[in-house]
Amino acid sequence: MLATAQATKNEITLKGSVATVTAFFRHALSSILYQRGIYAPESFEPVKAYGLTVMAVKEDKLISYLQAVLQQFSEWLEGGALQKVVLVVTGVASKEVLERWTFDIQTDKGVVAGSASLPEKAESQITQEIQAIIRQITASVTFLPLLQDACTIDLLAYTDKENAVPLDWEESDPRYITGAADVKLRAFSTKVHNVEALVSYKADDDLL
Amino acid sequence: MAENAAPGVQQDWEASKENFQPLKAGRKATALRDSTAELRTKAVEERRRAFWQELDTYNGSDPLEVWLRFIRWTQDTFSAGGHKAELLPLLERCTRELQAAEGGRYRTDIRYLRVWVQYADCLPDPGDVFSFLKHHDIGQDHALFYVALATYLEAQGGYASADSAYQQGINRLAAPLDRLRAKFEEFQQRMARRIQRKAQEQAGLDAAEPDHPERKSLGLLRGGKG
Amino acid sequence: KQLAANLGQDDSARILAFKQKAPTPSEGFENHMASLYSANAGPRPKKAFRAVPQQPDRILDAPDLVDDYYLNLLDWGSNNAVAVALNQAVYLWNASSGDIQELLSAQGEDYITSLSWAADGKHLAVGYSNALTQIWDAERCKPVRNLDGHAARVSSLSWNNHTLSTGGRDSIILNHDVRVREHVTATLRGHEQEVCGLKWSPNGTQLASGGNDNLLMVWDAAADRPTHRITAHQAAVKALAWCPFQSNLLATGGGTADRTIKFHNTHTGALLNSIDTGSQVCSLQWNRHEREILSSHGFSQNQLCLWKYPSMAKVAELTGHTSRVLHLAQSPDGTTVVSAAADETLRFWRCFGEPAGAAPKGA
């Protein structure tokens, strides 16, 4: 940790920040899909990222699905319109929402508008913050229940009201879990975008 | 206990992640504190004694409720699942003692079956547990029984028995039937793929390298001694 | 505020869902994480390649052994004494005579977090929860040195001649030259969380360290930066074992979310092999007489596994412990392994057989 404190600070551009946050979502979402056993392990491969080995999606259909979502995320991020990303995990048979991974996003609107001076932050510092979140996702088996039945995923985006709805997206309810347990995970910040992670899950004894 | 003094320390659960055994039902955030230090104190001993006393003197209508709280507390407190092997004897005793509960009132209670299944999950070979439940007609109307039994049988390689376990449950209209049917379907698909895979393996049996690690090493061993 | 944002309605936001459905998981879904949650994970090995005694030779009670994955509380010295820390006290069990002796007892709230015999079989290093490390003269039952420098508990120790390396919950590793007054000769930074595994290679040229940050590092003796920073494990790395018959070969074991044993070439940093054991790996010991490695495990089966190297075929499974098997140590002659488990017993297993050339024992 001391080593990075002395690292050189970089100017964070809007584009740079969008790229960082989008890449984070790619890795975080892939890690969740793997660690929660939602897709078979054959759909993933280990890659190096953030000084860690993370599980990345390698199955074509899954890649293009994520790619399409991430493309839209990055457009929204660039316009400062993305407030929240939610990964919803639903039981196929029961249609019940079992898990909800939330990423709250705060944006420096000044940078988006081009009116504020660019903030500075060391790249290594950002990497380290992201590393910590990815590690927590990997370790989440510590408290998350076993997903015993086949599950599907949905991705939700909370966007500013004044933004138009893209063709591939539709309005949705928030898909909350009744009686959920929450564990707040770590956050990272590029100083343009600040992302806070949280997981909500069903933690009833009747889940056995 | 001395804590990491570095700034921005990881949350406690993460610093102790290896001291939490995964639970099928998960753990709540409040139960995510490292209790290894507490285990060395008297408070834990006292709490345990209080539970036993509550069970001894209980005269309400639902002793199972006390047991469930006791079991949950044990899982939360002995989070590594190891210390003195706390949980297993507790599950054993709960399942045994409540068998005789008035008129077999828990025979059809899903909560009681859950304790049994948790017990079975702690045993490397719980075959006898499932036979016992069947013989005593405990939990036989719940899909959970058949799913748990079939999962165990499948893991042991008893595919035909697993198949028949699912069918028995469906014939009995065990609830929820949807879930049971869905699990059966998934099982059948796995079996189909397994048969396919076996056929492929059979076809490629001439391959120079046998893909069984056990065979490989047997050769090595013989080579080493010869 | 977080809670409100999470539960409450965001009037300023529009909630959108991606219309395209995510690919459906493959048919015949089976959560590959399920084995983590159950004890009945699969069939036992039926074949054994070598007669391995399945029963422990001896069982000793170890009351109050702390059930904490990150600690290192067992070691077997060249003097044939097994040292074990039970909460606040360190006991020595003389394997030749069977005598038991209490070497020391910590004060107040403090407890023992690690111990390690020096090669001379006379000095025992002891790490404490209060961040102190002490060296004890086991023959005279006296502390001979206090080594400070850590800011949190000292979870791992390893000797290399006059150097004692200590790893702490403060995520640093200190090298101490135990002969000199200013004993800290190096501070090794690189880990980001507790250093729970620490082992010098038998030839003393490389130090391997493992942490709760899932990292494995290999340090050259004179360097203060890691030669290799290996990210292959997906959980804490506590189990470390250097191969006795091939220098540069290191075996490592991962925690709950990882469950693998991995083999590394510590010259190149290359990963040579990895196998999924199905449960938390707590400790590893190489057999010096056969090309075999023994692993000890946590939930779900609390067993010891003997593996052929390099095929990693399972030679034997040793069961009996009813809780996770946190520590292993082997006898000076390399025939016997002692295991310490959270069920508060020590068990002795003659699973490594006789040294080559020794007459085989009658059945």
Side-chain angles (χ1 to χ4, degrees), chain B residues 1-4 10 14-19 21-24 36 40 80 82-85 120-124 126 152 154-156 186 189-190 193 213-214 217-218 220-221, chain C residues 27-30 36-44 47 49 65-70 87 111 129 169 193 212 214 235-236 255-256 280 299 308 311 313 322-324 342 344:
Chain B
M1 190 164 68
E3 273 304 338
N4 194 335
Q10 60 275 0
E14 200 189 356
S16 312
K17 65 188 177 194
E18 301 296 343
N19 290 336
Q21 174 192 311
L23 292 182
K24 275 194 176 161
T36 38
R40 296 178 292 111
H83 197 76
K84 289 183 187 168
D121 254 336
C122 293
L123 304 173
Y152 154 68
E154 188 183 340
Q156 299 291 310
E186 287 161 11
Q189 274 154 356
R190 282 196 296 277
R193 269 199 310 196
E214 291 187 346
S217 64
L218 203 61
L220 269 181
L221 193 74
Chain C
E27 290 179 332
F29 167 86
E30 195 181 22
L36 280 182
Y37 291 82
S38 171
N40 34 73
R44 295 288 178 76
K47 286 189 201 163
F49 304 107
L65 184 88
V66 177
D67 183 8
D68 189 328
Y69 179 87
Y70 301 98
N87 193 6
Y111 58 101
S129 57
R169 195 168 215 180
Q193 295 181 26
N212 190 51
N214 312 348
T256 303
Q280 184 181 55
F299 187 77
K308 198 81 205 154
S311 70
T322 55
S323 296
R324 58 179 177 170
E344 305 191 339

Side-chain angles (χ1 to χ4, degrees), chain A residues 14 18 73-83 105-109 111-113 158-160 162-163 192-193:
Chain A
L14 176 60
V18 168
F73 285 174
S74 104
E75 275 171 39
W76 275 323
L77 284 165
E78 194 144 356
L82 192 58
Q83 300 178 4
I105 304 159
Q106 271 104 47
T107 309
D108 181 335
K109 299 274 182 176
V111 174
V112 173
Y158 287 46
T159 64
D160 290 350
E162 50 276 19
N163 263 56
V192 178
H193 295 101

Side-chain angles (χ1 to χ4, degrees), chain C residues 184-201:
Chain C
V184 176
T185 54
T187 301
L188 308 183
R189 297 176 197 279
H191 282 288
E192 289 156 50
Q193 295 181 26
E194 183 160 20
V195 181
C196 50
L198 204 56
K199 284 267 156 50
W200 278 99
S201 62

